[in-house]
């Protein structure tokens, strides 16, 4: 199976939006040998029991993804982290919100490639959600620090609709330029 770490990031961010959060904050941090992300939402939250069920790969409800034999989403994150000697954490409070994080050793042969970050940021900004999405991006490589922040409501004001093809091309170029600086 071919997938990238950014696919995990998109999946976990989508969960936060599906939890009816009106604020979703994503942090993506790279160092020389680590890729780390954190998704924080103020959505419906989970009990301890719900977290256990959610990370169990054999506990898929079979409704949302009828052709899927094992759950992707959270089980996908935990399994990918475990086989590659990375890690994960879920903190949640029912009715208050959830924070999911994952970290990966980018030098481990079993760690998937990071993938196209500006591309996945654009996908995330286009998710159908009435709430705010904030992306914090930080790089700290060989003493060079770089960071930027993307706020969806500001992007919408700047490029207009996030549905129009021309705006999406512009947005893609803008996100790529941020990453290359
Ligand atoms: N951020 C979150 N807030 C509340 N519940 C969540 C969150 N993330 C996951 N869950 C719960 O865990 C379940 C499993 O998530 P996931 O593994 O992504 O599978 P799926 O999204 O396909 O149901 C979700 O259906 C949801 O009930
Ligand atoms: Mg999901």
């Amino acid at each position: 199976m071919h997938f990238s770490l950014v696919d995990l990031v998109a999946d976990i961010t989508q969960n936060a939006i599906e939890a009816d959060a009106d604020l979703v904050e994503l942090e993506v941090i790279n160092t020389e040998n680590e890729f780390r992300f954190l998704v924080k939402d103020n959505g419906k939250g989970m009990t301890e029991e719900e977290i256990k069920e959610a990370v169990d790969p054999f506990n898929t409800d079979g409704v949302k993804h009828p052709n899927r034999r094992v759950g992707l989403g959270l089980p996908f994150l935990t399994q990918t982290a475990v086989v590659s000697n990375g890690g994960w954490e879920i903190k949640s409070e029912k009715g208050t919100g959830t924070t999911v994080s994952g970290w990966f050793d980018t030098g481990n042969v079993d760690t998937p490639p990071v993938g196209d970050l500006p591309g996945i940021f654009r996908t995330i900004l286009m998710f159908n959600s009435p709430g705010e999405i904030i992306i914090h991006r930080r790089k700290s490589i060989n003493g060079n620090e770089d960071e930027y922040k993307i706020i969806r409501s500001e992007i919408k004001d700047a490029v207009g609709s996030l549905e129009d093809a021309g705006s999406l091309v512009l947005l893609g170029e803008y996100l790529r330029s941020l990453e290359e600086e």
Side-chain angles (χ1 to χ4, degrees):
M1 195 181 206
H2 302 281
F3 66 96
S4 308
L5 293 177
V6 297
D7 298 318
L8 288 173
V9 174
D11 238 26
I12 301 304
T13 307
Q14 188 167 19
N15 281 346
I17 290 165
E18 287 170 352
D20 296 326
D22 52 35
L23 176 62
V24 175
E25 290 188 78
L26 164 65
E27 267 177 50
V28 179
I29 304 161
N30 268 93
T31 60
E32 291 86 5
N33 45 25
E34 188 183 68
F35 176 88
R36 179 180 283 268
F37 75 92
L38 183 145
V39 179
K40 182 173 177 210
D41 72 62
N42 63 354
K44 65 183 181 189
M46 287 179 277
T47 61
E48 280 298 318
E49 191 54 36
E50 286 171 324
I51 295 175
K52 275 198 202 114
E53 282 173 19
V55 298
D56 178 355
F58 300 104
N59 194 333
T60 169
D61 65 8
V63 175
K64 239 167 111 181
H65 311 286
N67 300 318
R68 208 181 257 182
R69 277 176 301 137
V70 294
L72 294 182
L74 287 172
F76 200 34
L77 165 65
T78 61
Q79 285 167 12
T80 306
V82 167
V83 301
S84 65
N85 205 20
W88 58 277
E89 184 177 52
I90 302 173
K91 287 193 210 150
S92 192
E93 200 177 320
K94 195 74 183 168
T96 303
T98 303
T99 302
V100 179
S101 55
W103 51 95
F104 298 88
D105 175 355
T106 47
N108 188 299
V109 290
D110 293 314
T111 299
V114 170
D116 176 12
L117 264 176
I120 215 74
F121 288 164
R122 186 172 72 168
T123 299
I124 287 169
L125 293 168
M126 288 163 61
F127 280 156
N128 188 12
S129 131
E132 181 68 289
I133 301 175
I134 300 178
I135 301 175
H136 305 264
R137 169 75 172 127
R138 199 140 47 85
K139 284 182 269 188
S140 173
I141 304 203
N142 301 325
N144 291 321
E145 302 283 333
D146 187 20
E147 62 185 300
Y148 59 85
K149 182 167 159 185
I150 303 158
I151 301 172
R152 182 160 81 153
S153 57
E154 290 181 1
I155 295 274
K156 266 189 177 161
D157 289 345
V159 302
S161 151
L162 287 177
E163 273 121 63
D164 160 78
S167 309
L168 289 180
V169 171
L170 270 181
L171 175 60
E173 284 169 2
Y174 173 62
L175 295 172
R176 238 163 260 291
S177 74
L178 290 178
E179 187 63 26
E180 278 158 14
E181 262 160 28

